[in-house]
Amino acid sequence: METGRKKSRSVNPSLIHPLQLLPGAGRLGELWTRGNGRASAATGAWYIRCGSGGPAAERTRMSVPAEQQRFAIQDSDGGLRPPRVGVIIDKFDAARGGAAVYTRDLVAWLVDRCFEVHVVARNVGEQERRLPSVCHEVRSRYGGHDFAAAGSECLAALAIDVSHDMGVAVGCDVFQSHVGSPVACQMGMDAAMPWWYRHARRLVQGPRRRRIRGLAAQQFGSPNSLFIAVSQRVANDLQRLQGVPPNRIRIIHNGVDIDHFDSQRHVAAGVAIRRRLGIDADDVIVIVVAHNHRLKGVHVVSHAVRRLRREGLPVRLLVCGTPQPGSSCGRAVSDWVLQAGSGIDTAPFYAAADIAVQASFYDACSLATLESLASGLPVITTRANGAAELITPGRDGIVLDDPADVTALTAALRTLAVDRLGRMSMGRAARRSAAAHAREGTFAAVVGVYAEVLASKGRTLVALAAPDRLLRPWAA
């Protein structure tokens, strides 16, 4: 496959390597680094697979260090301009949870690489307003179909190059649902409920479920969209439950900020948190980060911790996220349950903890799991969590088959609680595993999908060497 420069045209001297992605060039977005075939911000060069079937796909080397990469669209006359990307999300506020955190970090990363980014949302957080992007607040009273129509109309008026939907609109170039398959998510929520309540819940939520499934049918039935699945589990669900053809699915796992979630940077803060919450030096802290307590299995973790305490083990539960009803943030709910609250920086709380648990009944690819790994904590999770694909059981974590199995979770917690050296060894391995899934590699792979979309429109995305001359008038 020809990936080189067009010799018949002069190239801007700041151009390091043009990604000549012609229509039909095939899948781009699987990034490789020298030696191990994984995307990583730690290396100095990226390799991008640009094959479309046939024999072994060629790997094109971009000699630009990852932190210096900038991107532009090259017009037919050889001129360069910033790519215009429109991102649509319901609530653009990192305090709302993982999808908003991912979107905020992606937007900041794109803007830093000379993308002109427009964000369409119903609500925009104060911190997000300070990003050098353009926010468009859509006054839609309701979500669902109402916001999908209004948001899609707003995007269409922006004349952007690539539209990226975070799971709320219809007909965008790239669709990335952070809840994975809505049908699978509903099934997981049903499984998290007591057996006697499930049938009644289905009856009560019948109309709402039909609306959700109707919108999902439009979203996943869009004929021109590419679908980013944040895990292999999600990719399987999209094919099995939503009918998405496999050739339109791109698997890109979530990434994590390796530097920020480094427990060595938050040792003092972690010690201060333990002191403030009255945690003894011998206490083993089990941390859970969750907004939807039922779906994330907080009740299962609570039962397991209670059993261990009855056995005399000094185990305490620390919950970060939406407070449970009747509880107060930043204090002990009981002598063994601690509530940290929501809208906080969780990195110091990971530094204060010893074990991380995500006993999810369904999770597309938990960012909290990746943050725990990056923080050097051994992680216990379930196969219902797409992030479990990134864990090697017994080395950097433990993966359970059944999220409702309190006995299995209790045994896993007991194993780690009584073996301090084992916890530390597993935590070091967890940190190394997380390094292979840095967010820079994830976002670069997303740009690869953008390049594929642009190629289908007859446009070329090029990589530049940190051009200081490229202005950003949209951020003025």
Side-chain angles (χ1 to χ4, degrees):
M1 173 181 171
E2 182 66 31
T3 60
R5 304 171 180 80
K6 290 188 176 181
K7 297 182 180 180
S8 61
R9 185 168 66 202
S10 61
V11 180
N12 189 304
S14 66
L15 188 63
I16 292 297
H17 194 290
L19 304 181
Q20 299 291 359
L21 302 175
L22 303 178
R27 176 176 180 178
L28 188 148
E30 292 179 305
L31 291 124
W32 301 73
T33 54
R34 186 185 300 111
N36 63 1
R38 286 177 177 265
S40 172
T43 61
W46 293 98
Y47 290 83
I48 298 183
R49 175 181 286 183
C50 303
S52 57
E58 298 183 15
R59 294 177 185 177
T60 303
R61 182 184 179 198
M62 294 172 59
S63 58
V64 188
E67 68 276 5
Q68 297 179 13
Q69 288 179 355
R70 302 295 183 267
F71 296 90
I73 290 179
Q74 191 167 31
D75 294 327
S76 57
D77 61 357
L80 298 174
R81 64 177 178 84
R84 291 168 58 90
V85 173
V87 177
I88 181 167
I89 185 172
D90 186 18
K91 297 178 177 65
F92 188 43
D93 184 352
R96 296 287 182 169
V101 171
Y102 178 98
T103 304
R104 177 202 63 191
D105 293 346
L106 173 64
V107 168
W109 191 91
L110 290 173
V111 168
D112 190 51
R113 283 151 183 81
C114 294
F115 281 80
E116 176 183 344
V117 183
H118 295 257
V119 181
V120 177
R122 275 202 300 160
N123 303 105
V124 180
E126 291 301 321
Q127 294 295 329
E128 285 69 25
R129 292 182 188 277
R130 298 176 184 149
L131 292 173
S133 59
V134 184
C135 292
H136 307 265
E137 288 191 80
V138 175
R139 298 303 178 186
S140 172
R141 182 177 179 183
Y142 304 105
H145 284 87
D146 188 31
F147 178 65
S152 298
E153 182 180 348
C154 180
L155 272 180
L158 296 177
I160 56 180
D161 298 304
V162 179
S163 55
H164 188 164
D165 180 5
M166 294 299 175
V168 295
V170 175
C172 290
D173 297 314
V174 180
F175 186 86
Q176 182 177 6
S177 173
H178 288 272
V179 300
S181 163
V183 176
C185 187
Q186 286 180 347
M187 293 167 61
M189 194 63 194
D190 287 341
M193 293 295 173
W195 64 269
W196 49 267
Y197 180 65
R198 294 173 191 171
H199 182 64
R201 184 173 184 272
R202 293 190 190 101
L203 290 176
V204 172
Q205 294 188 344
R208 179 175 179 270
R209 291 186 181 214
R210 285 192 290 273
R211 290 195 299 270
I212 292 175
R213 295 194 180 207
L215 178 58
Q218 291 180 270
Q219 294 170 329
F220 292 106
S222 180
N224 300 316
S225 299
L226 292 179
F227 298 89
I228 293 179
V230 295
S231 65
Q232 181 63 56
R233 176 186 177 84
V234 170
N236 295 340
D237 288 340
L238 295 187
Q239 295 176 57
R240 179 173 58 93
L241 301 173
Q242 311 294 163
V244 179
N247 64 339
R248 288 167 53 203
I249 298 175
R250 308 293 181 261
I251 300 175
I252 304 176
H253 287 94
N254 285 335
V256 63
D257 187 341
I258 294 295
D259 293 330
H260 181 65
F261 290 97
D262 181 355
S263 59
Q264 297 303 313
R265 300 180 58 181
H266 303 283
V267 171
V271 171
I273 288 172
R274 291 180 72 101
R275 184 183 303 114
R276 174 163 56 89
L277 294 177
I279 301 172
D280 295 333
D282 294 333
D283 286 344
V284 177
I285 300 303
V286 177
I287 186 170
V288 177
V289 179
H291 290 279
N292 188 330
H293 286 208
R294 200 77 196 182
L295 185 63
K296 300 305 174 72
V298 177
H299 60 292
V300 181
V301 182
S302 179
H303 287 314
V305 171
R306 186 183 293 113
R307 287 187 182 184
L308 292 178
R309 289 186 63 82
R310 288 172 181 168
E311 296 175 10
L313 293 177
V315 180
R316 301 178 75 178
L317 177 61
L318 172 61
V319 181
C320 297
T322 304
Q324 298 184 47
S327 64
S328 301
C329 298
R331 57 177 297 180
V333 179
S334 67
D335 61 341
W336 57 275
V337 178
L338 312 169
Q339 177 70 59
S342 60
I344 59 174
D345 181 6
T346 54
F349 289 88
Y350 289 125
D354 301 287
I355 305 168
V357 179
Q358 286 287 307
S360 303
F361 284 78
Y362 180 81
D363 213 324
C365 185
S366 169
L367 279 174
T369 298
L370 288 168
E371 293 167 358
S372 301
L373 292 171
S375 299
L377 293 177
V379 177
I380 302 174
T381 189
T382 71
R383 297 198 185 279
N385 179 5
E389 301 165 10
L390 311 179
I391 293 176
T392 303
R395 189 185 72 180
D396 48 16
I398 298 174
V399 180
L400 305 177
D401 293 323
D402 183 3
D405 191 343
V406 179
T407 300
L409 178 57
T410 303
L413 280 172
R414 184 187 299 109
T415 299
L416 295 177
V418 300
D419 185 2
R420 182 174 180 273
L421 293 179
R423 287 201 309 270
M424 295 176 63
S425 176
M426 192 173 284
R428 288 191 293 268
R431 173 73 182 172
R432 290 192 296 270
S433 297
H437 302 284
R439 65 178 182 178
E440 287 77 10
T442 293
F443 296 158
V446 171
V447 170
V449 178
Y450 291 172
E452 189 174 354
V453 169
L454 290 168
S456 69
K457 299 179 179 181
R459 302 169 192 168
T460 303
L461 185 68
V462 296
L464 309 174
D468 295 331
R469 300 187 303 278
L470 196 57
L471 300 178
R472 299 173 180 164
W474 63 89

